[in-house]
């Protein structure tokens, strides 16, 4: 899945590569419940759906990744940030703020904290979810 995801980032045939990434991430998630890669596949699938602008689907998998990674807070920063962005894109500003604040409160001094602060500042300036 991750190979196709990386190819989609660099390819003109993005749609085909995104579809292949979804296929293989889904196989890992659904067919290998004891695999160590299952959690990583959830994050990858969430990001594929984010890139496809299918924010509702992205939210589902990013939340599953976070649930699996509860004890490893540093690895959840990106997922929390992109959850906030997904909610912002869907016009659910209060939900977006919740995830950006969670980064600030639970993951201070990480690389995601400045991004969360900047996103919150933009949300307080405007209510336009496209920003």
């Amino acid at each position: 899945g991750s190979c196709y995801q990386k190819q989609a980032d660099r390819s003109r045939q993005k749609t085909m590569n995104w579809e292949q990434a979804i296929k293989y991430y889904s196989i890992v998630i659904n067919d290998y419940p004891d695999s160590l890669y299952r959690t990583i596949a959830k994050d990858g699938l969430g990001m594929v759906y984010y890139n496809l602008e299918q924010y509702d689907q992205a939210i589902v998998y990013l939340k599953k990744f976070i649930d699996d990674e509860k004890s490893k807070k540093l690895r959840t920063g990106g997922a929390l940030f992109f959850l906030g962005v997904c909610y912002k894109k869907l016009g659910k500003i209060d939900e977006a703020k919740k995830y950006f604040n969670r980064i600030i409160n639970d993951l201070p001094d990480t690389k995601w904290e400045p991004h969360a602060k900047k996103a919150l500042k933009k949300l307080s300036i405007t209510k336009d979810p496209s920003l």
Side-chain angles (χ1 to χ4, degrees):
S2 63
C3 291
Y4 283 108
Q5 183 179 5
K6 288 176 185 173
Q7 282 180 350
D9 291 337
R10 298 185 299 257
S11 172
R12 288 185 213 166
Q13 299 176 334
K14 289 186 183 298
T15 303
M16 182 183 76
N17 288 314
W18 291 130
E19 289 171 0
Q20 291 297 316
I22 290 169
K23 175 183 173 182
Y24 288 106
Y25 280 139
S26 296
I27 288 171
V28 172
I29 292 167
N30 296 322
D31 296 349
Y32 298 94
D34 298 326
S35 172
L36 298 175
Y37 296 106
R38 191 168 188 238
T39 299
I40 295 165
K42 291 174 186 175
D43 184 47
L45 195 51
M47 291 310 299
V48 168
Y49 283 123
Y50 172 82
N51 285 306
L52 290 170
E53 298 180 3
Q54 295 179 21
Y55 302 118
D56 288 326
Q57 281 295 99
I59 288 167
V60 169
Y61 287 99
L62 291 171
K63 282 184 174 182
K64 287 180 181 186
F65 169 74
I66 290 168
D67 287 345
D68 287 354
E69 290 289 303
K70 284 179 192 166
S71 64
K72 301 173 189 103
K73 288 183 179 180
L74 290 178
R75 290 175 46 178
T76 62
L80 289 168
F81 180 78
F82 283 101
L83 270 170
V85 174
C86 287
Y87 280 113
K88 180 178 77 167
K89 296 280 188 180
L90 292 171
K92 299 178 179 180
I93 304 305
D94 289 338
E95 279 296 304
K97 287 179 180 180
K98 178 175 116 178
Y99 286 99
F100 296 139
N101 278 314
R102 190 165 157 193
I103 293 169
I104 293 164
N105 295 325
D106 296 347
L107 305 171
D109 303 319
T110 64
K111 70 178 187 178
W112 294 105
E113 183 186 27
H115 297 292
K117 286 181 176 179
K118 184 177 178 180
L120 274 175
K121 186 176 179 180
K122 284 184 179 181
L123 288 176
S124 65
I125 294 171
T126 181
K127 294 202 181 224
D128 182 355
S130 67
L131 298 176

